[in-house]
Amino acid sequence: MNRFVKRALAKIPKLDTEQIRHILEDVAAQNDAYQAALDSLNDGVIVCDDRHTISMTNRAAERYLVGPIPRQSGDKVIWDAVADEDIRSFVQNALENEETVVGREFALEWEGGVARILRVSVFPLIRDGYIQGSIIQIGDVSESRAREARLRRAENLASLTTLAAGVAHEIKNPLGSIGIHAQLVQRELDRFPDDDVQEIRESLAIVNEEIQRLNKIVVDFLFAVRPMDTYLVDCDVNEIVRELVRFIRVELEEQDIEVEVKLDDQVPLLKIDEKYFKQALLNVFKNAMPAMPDGGRLTVSTRATDDTVFLRVSDTGTGMSDEVLAKIFEPYFTTKDFGSGIGLTLVYKVIKEHMGDISVTSREGVGTTFTISLPVPQRETHLLSWTEGDE
């Protein structure tokens, strides 16, 4: 309470109605100024009293918590106003246990498939030396985390490129030689009865399988580090999705995975290299399938805005931990027993070559969503013609 209000309250019995009205108008103007200052902040701020009921909020807090919170909330407890389950539980535990928590991060998926990362902090509200409530601060750190991730991925790809020239060829050359000699051994075995060399044939078949697997890893490795020669033409993203879904539908059905396609008819033609883009999208589909060993649902959807097309691939699989989620685009990182760790690195590279971006949200036991955003080509601007004499 400022000094002016204190002095005014002390003189209330001596003031007439007009003077009291002026005082109330001044107090209301000050409150409006405070609220305007809060509403101008990028961070969300919620002030609660000692009973954890809301006494003040700003616009950013209402936006981040997905839904308006009444400015005069009465007896509304803060966690009843929070839409996200994880944030609601975190805030309730922190306040009930009287904990100060700084910078707890939560990954959210907002309407339209936009993935955001919110940084939530809980502080005590100190007044006259006593704790008389709490302050919840919410900041959107999505862009900074995305920049950090892009920088880290770029550094990893740069390191991979430096290593590629020597290592890939050093592996590929002897690998080809091994393959040739395996074929020669196979020809020699054809001169003997099958019963006498059956075990050798089985061992040789394993050798050939491993040669092919190693060769694929080397090919993917070279593809991941070489500059891509993309040929961008107008393509219908919805039609590409339909073709790929038809291509893998049988494989999905064999694993008891239902596929649901939701395509926005308003999606415009995009500049796409169809071959590379299909390969990237197929890798995303293939990445989702092992996450649903007991079956589930794969949902593919598109949505268009004025300048961006969003393509989402969601599964109802096992999901990923935050630690795994932070590394999935890094080269040679894999959670699979026989994975090369190159697949999602290639996806990331292809999307970047299309001037797009890719983000992932996941929750363990719930599922994972990949969101690919692609820019809509700008329409040509035609200037008005002008000839001398036109006015």
Side-chain angles (χ1 to χ4, degrees):
M1 187 181 303
N2 59 37
R3 294 179 181 177
F4 170 75
V5 175
K6 286 183 177 179
R7 290 198 304 268
L9 289 176
K11 297 180 180 180
I12 281 287
K14 303 178 182 179
L15 301 178
D16 58 27
T17 303
E18 186 64 20
Q19 291 173 318
I20 294 175
R21 186 176 66 82
H22 283 306
I23 292 173
L24 292 177
E25 288 176 350
D26 290 340
V27 171
Q30 289 181 13
N31 285 338
D32 288 343
Y34 295 150
Q35 189 64 59
L38 284 175
D39 287 340
S40 300
L41 297 176
N42 290 326
D43 282 0
V45 177
I46 301 175
V47 180
C48 300
D49 60 22
D50 56 359
R51 294 177 297 124
H52 312 312
T53 58
I54 302 170
S55 57
M56 184 180 298
T57 66
N58 68 347
R59 297 188 190 280
E62 297 173 5
R63 183 171 67 252
Y64 293 148
L65 293 180
V66 192
I69 303 173
R71 298 298 172 92
Q72 303 298 329
S73 300
D75 294 331
K76 194 173 185 65
V77 180
I78 171 61
W79 48 81
D80 289 339
V82 178
D84 183 78
E85 181 179 349
D86 291 339
I87 298 180
R88 181 169 61 247
S89 177
F90 159 72
V91 170
Q92 183 173 359
N93 289 335
L95 293 180
E96 290 182 340
N97 295 322
E98 298 182 353
E99 296 177 344
T100 298
V101 184
V102 179
R104 182 73 60 84
E105 293 185 358
F106 299 88
L108 303 182
E109 186 174 315
W110 288 0
E111 185 178 355
V114 180
R116 312 303 296 176
I117 299 176
L118 298 186
R119 191 171 188 265
V120 184
S121 301
V122 178
F123 305 99
L125 175 64
I126 308 297
R127 183 183 298 166
D128 298 329
Y130 296 96
I131 297 177
Q132 298 188 16
S134 56
I135 300 174
I136 293 95
Q137 181 182 11
I138 310 111
D140 187 348
V141 296
S142 307
E143 294 302 325
S144 61
R145 292 294 177 268
R147 284 195 297 269
E148 292 172 4
R150 285 193 293 267
L151 179 61
R152 185 171 61 252
R153 293 166 192 164
E155 292 173 347
N156 289 333
L157 286 175
S159 300
L160 200 60
T161 302
T162 303
L163 188 65
V167 174
H169 290 290
E170 289 296 329
I171 294 175
K172 196 170 181 61
N173 290 336
L175 199 59
S177 178
I178 294 171
I180 292 173
H181 283 80
Q183 293 177 10
L184 295 175
V185 172
Q186 183 68 50
R187 292 179 183 176
E188 291 297 321
L189 290 177
D190 291 340
R191 299 167 52 187
F192 297 91
D194 290 343
D195 293 341
D196 295 342
V197 294
Q198 183 60 32
E199 292 184 2
I200 300 177
R201 289 181 186 277
E202 292 175 356
S203 298
L204 190 60
I206 295 175
V207 171
N208 284 323
E209 288 179 3
E210 292 302 304
I211 290 174
Q212 293 176 7
R213 188 170 73 88
L214 289 173
N215 187 66
K216 184 179 184 304
I217 292 175
V218 173
V219 169
D220 288 344
F221 182 88
L222 289 173
F223 176 79
V225 298
R226 286 174 177 166
M228 293 177 60
D229 186 16
T230 56
Y231 180 65
L232 304 179
V233 296
D234 288 338
C235 289
D236 185 347
V237 173
N238 286 346
E239 185 57 32
I240 291 176
V241 170
R242 293 188 190 100
E243 290 180 10
L244 288 179
V245 169
R246 285 195 295 267
F247 178 72
I248 67 167
R249 186 179 292 276
V250 174
E251 189 174 354
L252 292 171
E253 291 175 350
E254 289 178 350
Q255 298 187 32
D256 293 327
I257 298 175
E258 299 178 6
V259 60
E260 184 177 7
V261 180
K262 302 177 180 177
L263 304 180
D264 184 353
D265 294 336
Q266 302 302 315
V267 170
L269 296 178
L270 301 180
K271 294 293 185 182
I272 285 177
D273 186 302
E274 189 171 347
K275 179 184 69 175
Y276 285 136
F277 190 78
K278 281 184 175 179
Q279 180 179 357
L281 191 54
L282 186 60
N283 277 348
V284 176
F285 290 166
K286 294 284 188 180
N287 190 77
M289 294 166 64
M292 297 180 283
D294 300 322
R297 177 182 290 105
L298 183 70
T299 303
V300 188
S301 63
T302 57
R303 184 178 66 88
T305 64
D306 291 339
D307 56 0
T308 306
V309 169
F310 296 97
L311 194 163
R312 300 176 63 198
V313 180
S314 302
D315 66 62
T316 57
T318 54
M320 292 178 280
S321 65
D322 292 340
E323 291 76 14
V324 172
L325 196 62
K327 298 179 180 179
I328 59 171
F329 292 114
E330 294 183 3
Y332 289 103
F333 175 79
T334 180
T335 58
K336 304 171 185 176
D337 294 336
F338 299 100
S340 65
I342 289 291
L344 290 180
T345 303
L346 298 180
V347 172
Y348 177 80
K349 183 176 181 180
V350 169
I351 299 304
K352 284 301 179 183
E353 290 288 337
H354 287 78
M355 305 302 293
D357 200 3
I358 181 169
S359 61
V360 189
T361 57
S362 186
R363 183 175 295 178
E364 290 184 281
V366 177
T368 300
T369 297
F370 284 80
T371 302
I372 298 172
S373 57
L374 299 169
V376 174
Q378 297 297 313
R379 297 183 178 90
E380 294 184 5
T381 302
H382 298 281
L383 298 178
L384 295 175
S385 61
W386 179 86
T387 57
E388 188 175 357
D390 290 342
E391 293 184 1

